[in-house]
Amino acid sequence: MSIREAPLSDFRPDERLVRDSDLVTRIGLCELRLMKDKRWPWLVLVPQRADVSEVFDLTPLDQTMLTFETNLVAETLKTVTGATKINTGALGNIVRQLHVHVVARSEGDPNWPGPVWGHGTAEPRSAEETKAFAAKLLDALTP
């Protein structure tokens, strides 16, 4: 068994995650990032641990925190968007750094009910749209 707990200072998000998403906040274990594709309300949780590619690479406590934060973000996203379904997934075939996608889906959205990955071309949000959506998320996350 390989369990790693690198200091937060050694953590750096993968450059592709940085390029394709905006940092919203740091929750506890994870960075919460908003994908730069306005076709879907699409969040990514990135555990702030260096050299981690699988959930089982995390300590048991970090695994618990990741589950808690994923559920917290999923519930918040459903509340903010009114989505029909919240999809979560940790694929990592292209970006190996552990990250969890949390995507709000509704009937009639692009490629419903198919997957969001590889469908069409990303449509960027304006800076104002990004700021407004991030503010809604932060307001809903704050008790």
Side-chain angles (χ1 to χ4, degrees):
M1 179 183 293
S2 172
I3 296 177
R4 299 180 202 124
E5 186 168 353
L8 294 180
S9 62
D10 291 345
F11 166 78
R12 299 284 179 271
D14 185 280
E15 64 186 34
R16 292 162 291 195
L17 292 172
V18 172
R19 179 190 65 221
D20 295 342
S21 65
D22 293 303
L23 178 64
V24 175
T25 192
R26 289 175 180 86
I27 297 176
L29 173 66
C30 296
E31 282 190 351
L32 177 61
R33 305 187 71 86
L34 173 61
M35 292 296 288
K36 294 179 180 179
D37 188 346
K38 71 179 181 179
R39 296 176 297 166
W40 301 282
W42 184 348
L43 303 172
V44 177
L45 287 161
V46 186
Q48 297 175 87
R49 296 289 186 254
D51 304 319
V52 172
S53 60
E54 308 292 348
V55 173
F56 56 76
D57 290 334
L58 296 170
T59 66
L61 178 58
D62 282 352
Q63 291 174 31
T64 301
M65 286 300 298
L66 178 59
T67 299
F68 173 80
E69 291 177 13
T70 299
N71 290 335
L72 175 68
V73 166
E75 184 177 16
T76 298
L77 189 59
K78 186 158 185 149
T79 298
V80 167
T81 65
T84 304
K85 181 72 175 94
I86 299 296
N87 295 162
T88 58
L91 303 175
N93 295 341
I94 296 173
V95 175
R96 299 266 168 106
Q97 182 177 43
L98 179 60
H99 60 288
V100 177
H101 297 269
V102 182
V103 187
R105 301 297 306 273
S106 294
E107 290 93 349
D109 75 21
N111 208 37
W112 174 268
V116 297
W117 289 276
H119 177 74
T121 304
E123 297 175 14
R125 284 182 188 81
S126 69
E128 295 79 24
E129 289 171 318
T130 298
K131 186 176 180 180
F133 190 67
K136 284 183 186 177
L137 290 168
L138 290 171
D139 186 53
L141 279 170
T142 306

